[in-house]
C-alpha cells in the first residue's frame, strides 16, 4: 500500500495534452505485484510451484510456528537488482525490512514482511508507445516514472467456493517472493495504463525475474484511479485490486472513471476505498475502506538485519544479464534502419526478437522481414492464439519467401498465398488440385519447400516479355475508353487497365513490369 503524491511531471509528459472525460482529467497510478521466479520462498526453503494440493508447500516458517526465523533468499534479491538495472533505477546500498501489521485469516504471523521507508529499488522509468485514440496516425512515445520497487512476502489464500458456511485457508502462497512496483500517478487514460502494464510485463518476463502468468497470479496489478478538473489538486483515489488481464484492466478503469464522475456530478464526495472488478457485470464494487500507512503500524523487523548490497554484487548481476529490450530495439534501429515503433514491436518478447533476427539473416532484408512478422505472422498468431516459437512457418522459410519476392519470382499477393499454404501445411483450397500436400511440404530444405509450393500452385510471375506485351496489346485494343480517360488526365483509368492485364495473365504478370510497359505504350 502506497500513498500517491503528485510531483512535477516530466518534460515529455508536460508537453502532452491530457485527454478529458466529460470535462474531467483522469489520473492513474499503478502498484504491481510481480511474483519472483525463485524455486523457494523469500524467507524459507518451501517450494513455490503453482497448483500443489492446499497446504503442502508451507513449512514451519510459513506457518509462523514459535521459534522460527526468516532467512533471506539471495535469488529474490538478485532479481530485484536485475529489475533496477533494466529500468535505469537506483539499487539501494542499504534497505530495511519492516513488519506491516494487519489481521487476516490467511496471514499466520499477523503481519507481512515488506519494506517501507527504504526499499531495495528507487526511481526508474518505463517507456512505451501508445496508439492514437482516434485509431489512425502515429503512435506516441510515453513514459511513466517509478517511485520504488520493494521486496515482500505474499499472504496465503482464502478459499470460499468449496466450503458451505466456512472458509478454507491455503498457505501454499504464504511467503512467496514478490516485487511490488509502484509508479507515480503519471497515466491519464485506461489505454495508457494498459500500455504501461504490457511494457512492464514484457520487461519482467524478458529478464526472467517473473513468468508473467496473470491467470496464476504471478503478475497482479492494482490501479489507483481518481478524477479532477484540469489544474485542480489530485482527487480522492479508489484502488481497483487484483486485475489479472489487460482486457479487464481497461474495462475496470473505464467503469471506475465514469462512476466517479457520476458521483461528483450528483454532488457526492468520493471516499477512499479498495474496490474489486466483476468481469461478468463489468462493474466495480467497494470491498473495504482504504487504509493508509499509519493503519499498518510499520516498524523495522527485528528478525532481519538490513539488506546490504555492495556495488560489486550489482556489477556482477549486470554482467550476467541478457541484452535488454530497449537496448536491442536501439540496435535494430541503428543496424537495420527500423523505425522506433517497429523496433519496439519486434522486441515485445525475446521469442519475437529471435524470430525477426533469424528471418532478417535468412533474407538480408530486415525491413521486409519486420513487415511480414508484424503483418501476416502476427495476424495468424492472433487468430489462433499461438506463440511465435511454435509458428509453422520457420524464419528460414519466411526469409526464402521474401527472397522470392525480391528476385521477382512471385508477387507480394502470391507470396501471401504461399505463406498460407506453408502455415496450414495443407491444401490452400480443396478446389485447388495443384495445392501441395502435407507430405510434399515436409520434405527438403526451407528454400526447397517454398519453391515447391510456388511451383505446385503455379504462382511464378510471367518472365516472357513477348507474352506480356501480347496481353497488354489485347487489353488496350479492347478498352479504348480507358485509354481516352487516361490521356484526359484520369489516373484511375490506368489502374483499370492494369487490373485487366493482371486478370489476363492469371495474376502471373509482374505488376511493376505491367505499369512500365503500359505507360510506355500510352505515353
Amino acid at each position: 500500500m502506497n500513498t500517491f503524491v503528485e510531483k512535477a511531471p516530466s518534460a515529455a509528459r508536460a508537453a502532452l495534452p491530457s485527454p478529458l472525460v466529460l470535462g474531467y482529467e483522469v489520473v492513474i497510478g499503478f502498484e504491481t505485484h510481480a511474483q519472483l521466479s525463485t524455486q523457494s520462498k523469500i524467507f524459507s526453503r518451501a517450494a513455490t510451484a503453482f497448483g500443489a494440493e492446499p497446504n503442502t508447500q508451507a513449512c514451519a516458517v510459513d506457518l509462523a510456528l514459535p521459534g522460527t526465523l526468516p532467512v533471506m533468499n539471495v535469488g529474490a534479491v538478485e532479481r530485484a537488482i536485475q529489475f533496477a538495472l533494466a529500468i535505469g533505477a537506483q539499487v539501494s546500498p542499504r534497505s530495511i525490512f519492516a513488519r506491516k501489521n494487519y489481521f487476516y485469516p490467511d496471514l499466520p504471523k499477523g503481519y507481512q514482511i515488506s519494506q517501507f521507508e527504504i526499499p531495495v529499488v528507487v526511481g526508474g522509468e518505463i517507456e512505451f508507445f501508445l496508439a492514437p485514440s482516434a485509431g489512425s496516425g502515429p503512435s506516441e512515445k510515453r513514459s511513466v516514472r517509478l517511485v520504488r520497487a520493494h521486496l515482500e512476502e505474499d499472504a496465503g489464500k482464502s478459499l470460499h467456493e468449496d466450503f458451505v458456511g466456512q472458509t478454507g485457508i491455503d498457505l501454499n502462497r504464504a511467503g512467496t517472493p514478490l516485487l511490488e512496483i509502484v509508479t507515480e500517478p503519471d497515466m491519464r487514460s485506461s489505454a495508457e495504463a494498459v500500455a504501461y502494464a504490457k511494457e512492464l510485463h514484457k520487461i519482467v518476463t524478458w529478464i526472467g525475474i517473473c513468468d508473467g502468468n496473470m491467470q496464476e497470479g504471478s503478475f497482479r496489478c492494482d490501479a489507483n484511479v481518481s478524477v479532477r478538473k484540469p489544474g485542480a489538486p489530485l482527487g480522492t483515489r479508489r484502488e481497483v485490486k487484483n486485475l489479472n488481464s489487460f482486457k479487464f484492466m481497461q474495462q475496470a478503469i473505464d467503469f471506475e472513471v465514469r462512476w466517479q464522475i457520476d458521483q461528483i456530478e450528483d454532488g457526492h464526495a468520493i471516499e477512499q476505498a479498495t474496490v474489486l472488478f466483476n468481469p461478468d457485470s463489468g462493474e466495480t464494487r467497494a470491498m473495504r475502506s482504504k487504509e493508509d500507512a499509519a493503519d499498518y503500524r510499520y516498524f523495522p523487523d527485528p528478525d532481519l538485519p538490513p539488506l546490504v548490497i555492495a556495488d560489486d554484487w550489482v556489477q556482477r548481476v549486470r554482467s550476467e544479464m541478457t541484452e535488454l529490450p530497449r537496448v536491442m530495439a536501439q540496435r535494430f534501429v541503428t543496424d537495420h534502419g527500423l523505425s522506433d515503433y517497429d523496433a519496439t514491436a519486434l522486441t515485445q518478447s525475446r521469442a519475437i526478437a529471435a524470430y525477426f533476427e533469424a528471418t532478417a539473416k535468412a533474407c538480408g532484408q530486415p525491413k521486409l522481414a519486420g513487415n511480414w512478422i508484424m503483418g501476416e505472422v502476427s495476424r495468424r498468431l492472433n487468430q489462433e492464439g499461438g506463440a511465435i516459437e511454435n509458428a509453422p512457418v520457420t524464419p528460414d522459410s519466411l526469409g526464402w519467401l521474401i527472397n522470392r519476392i525480391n528476385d521477382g519470382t512471385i508477387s507480394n499477393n502470391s507470396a501471401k498465398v504461399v505463406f498460407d499454404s506453408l502455415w496450414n501445411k495443407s491444401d490452400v483450397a480443396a478446389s485447388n488440385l495443384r495445392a501441395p500436400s502435407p507430405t510434399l511440404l515436409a520434405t527438403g530444405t526451407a528454400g526447397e519447400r517454398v519453391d515447391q509450393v510456388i511451383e505446385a500452385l503455379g504462382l511464378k510471375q510471367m518472365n516472357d516479355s513477348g507474352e506480356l506485351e501480347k496481353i497488354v496489346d489485347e487489353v488496350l485494343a479492347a478498352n479504348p475508353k480507358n485509354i481516352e480517360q487516361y490521356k484526359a488526365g484520369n489516373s484511375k483509368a490506368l489502374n483499370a487497365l492494369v487490373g485487366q492485364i493482371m486478370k489476363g495473365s492469371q495474376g502471373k504478370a509482374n505488376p511493376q513490369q505491367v505499369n512500365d510497359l503500359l505507360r510506355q505504350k500510352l505515353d
Side-chain angles (χ1 to χ4, degrees):
M1 196 291 303
N2 294 277
T3 300
F4 287 88
V5 177
E6 187 172 32
K7 296 180 180 179
S10 63
R13 163 61 65 191
L16 294 170
S18 295
L20 300 182
V21 179
L22 300 176
Y24 286 83
E25 182 183 33
V26 178
V27 180
I28 303 168
F30 256 59
E31 300 171 22
T32 302
H33 291 87
Q35 179 178 326
L36 299 176
S37 57
T38 57
Q39 297 299 308
S40 58
K41 296 184 179 180
I42 189 167
F43 299 119
S44 79
R45 294 181 179 179
T48 58
F50 179 81
E53 288 296 313
N55 298 308
T56 58
Q57 294 182 167
C59 68
V61 174
D62 308 320
L63 297 173
L65 297 183
T68 58
L69 291 172
V71 177
M72 187 70 224
N73 185 331
V74 67
V77 178
E78 293 201 338
R79 284 159 177 77
I81 297 173
Q82 285 180 279
F83 179 72
L85 295 173
I87 63 166
Q90 175 188 344
V91 177
S92 297
R94 184 178 184 272
S95 58
I96 305 294
F97 285 98
R99 291 185 179 182
K100 178 181 178 181
N101 297 274
Y102 65 95
F103 171 78
Y104 212 70
D106 54 24
L107 191 68
K109 295 190 291 289
Y111 62 85
Q112 177 190 26
I113 301 177
S114 182
Q115 293 184 306
F116 180 55
E117 292 178 327
I118 308 177
V120 66
V121 176
V122 178
E125 188 175 53
I126 303 290
E127 293 184 340
F128 53 92
F129 282 93
L130 179 64
S133 57
S136 61
S139 295
E140 296 177 344
K141 193 169 188 177
R142 298 290 177 92
S143 65
V144 170
R145 298 165 298 168
L146 300 191
V147 178
R148 58 189 278 153
H150 60 261
L151 289 164
E152 65 181 21
E153 62 179 347
D154 204 353
K157 186 176 182 180
S158 297
L159 307 174
H160 309 288
E161 292 80 6
D162 299 329
F163 300 89
V164 179
Q166 295 179 313
T167 295
I169 301 297
D170 179 11
L171 296 177
N172 280 349
R173 286 194 68 88
T176 297
L178 302 177
L179 187 67
E180 182 173 352
I181 303 159
V182 184
T183 76
E184 297 282 4
D186 280 351
M187 290 157 276
R188 294 295 179 265
S189 69
S190 62
E192 186 175 5
V194 171
Y196 157 78
K198 287 182 176 179
E199 184 67 19
L200 178 62
H201 184 272
K202 178 182 82 172
I203 291 171
V204 297
T205 54
W206 183 290
I207 61 179
I209 68 170
C210 173
D211 66 20
N213 192 317
M214 299 181 77
Q215 286 70 39
E216 295 180 1
S218 298
F219 188 86
R220 309 192 301 269
C221 295
D222 304 336
N224 288 275
V225 182
S226 65
V227 298
R228 65 179 176 184
K229 287 292 185 178
L234 286 177
T236 302
R237 65 191 172 90
R238 303 213 316 165
E239 182 181 31
V240 189
K241 292 286 289 184
N242 295 333
L243 297 168
N244 64 353
S245 87
F246 298 122
K247 176 183 176 181
F248 294 157
M249 190 181 296
Q250 186 150 9
Q251 291 176 357
I253 294 172
D254 285 339
F255 177 84
E256 181 63 25
V257 167
R258 292 192 302 270
W259 183 89
Q260 290 189 26
I261 292 173
D262 288 343
Q263 290 292 107
I264 294 171
E265 290 293 306
D266 290 342
H268 304 299
I270 303 298
E271 295 183 1
Q272 188 168 304
T274 298
V275 304
L276 293 176
F277 177 67
N278 185 335
D280 296 327
S281 66
E283 299 177 350
T284 58
R285 61 176 177 83
M287 183 171 66
R288 62 176 182 265
S289 60
K290 181 66 180 172
E291 300 89 350
D292 283 316
D295 297 318
Y296 291 117
R297 307 183 310 282
Y298 283 97
F299 63 86
D301 192 314
D303 291 336
L304 285 163
L307 175 60
V308 177
I309 301 175
D311 185 64
D312 58 351
W313 189 3
V314 175
Q315 297 311 318
R316 179 179 62 78
V317 172
R318 188 194 300 274
S319 69
E320 295 171 354
M321 288 180 66
T322 185
E323 185 179 23
L324 297 172
R326 56 185 168 82
V327 176
M328 183 178 287
Q330 186 56 52
R331 177 165 61 81
F332 287 175
V333 171
T334 303
D335 294 352
H336 299 315
L338 301 184
S339 68
D340 286 339
Y341 179 83
D342 288 352
T344 301
L346 293 168
T347 52
Q348 283 302 304
S349 72
R350 293 174 70 176
I352 293 173
Y355 190 98
F356 163 72
E357 289 202 284
T359 303
K361 182 179 179 181
C363 67
Q365 298 287 332
K367 288 187 178 181
L368 287 177
N371 290 341
W372 271 85
I373 293 168
M374 292 184 292
E376 293 302 305
V377 175
S378 294
R379 178 180 64 82
R380 280 292 199 153
L381 293 174
N382 290 336
Q383 284 178 351
E384 301 171 11
I388 197 167
E389 52 266 43
N390 300 321
V393 178
T394 66
D396 284 344
S397 293
L398 181 58
W400 194 265
L401 182 61
I402 293 171
N403 281 333
R404 285 294 179 246
I405 300 172
N406 285 336
D407 65 18
T409 301
I410 56 174
S411 66
N412 196 63
N413 287 337
S414 295
K416 292 179 181 179
V417 177
V418 176
F419 178 85
D420 285 343
S421 181
L422 292 167
W423 190 281
N424 294 329
K425 295 186 178 179
S426 60
D427 292 351
V428 174
S431 59
N432 190 340
L433 300 179
R434 294 185 301 172
S437 66
T439 303
L440 178 62
L441 288 175
T443 62
T445 65
E448 288 170 344
R449 288 196 296 273
V450 171
D451 288 342
Q452 287 167 359
V453 174
I454 293 171
E455 189 68 37
L457 294 178
L459 294 175
K460 276 189 177 181
Q461 290 193 130
M462 185 182 295
N463 293 319
D464 188 335
S465 58
E467 184 179 355
L468 176 59
E469 187 168 2
K470 179 182 177 182
I471 295 172
V472 171
D473 290 339
E474 290 174 351
V475 168
L476 290 176
N479 295 274
K481 288 186 177 179
N482 290 107
I483 297 174
E484 292 176 10
Q485 291 171 352
Y486 172 73
K487 290 186 175 181
N490 186 349
S491 60
K492 291 184 179 179
L494 183 69
N495 295 334
L497 292 170
V498 171
Q500 289 295 318
I501 295 168
M502 294 302 296
K503 182 179 179 181
S505 69
Q506 297 180 330
K508 295 180 182 180
N510 184 314
Q512 188 58 53
Q513 286 182 334
V514 170
N515 271 280
D516 292 344
L517 184 57
L518 200 52
R519 289 180 186 277
Q520 178 185 334
K521 287 182 174 290
L522 291 174
D523 296 338

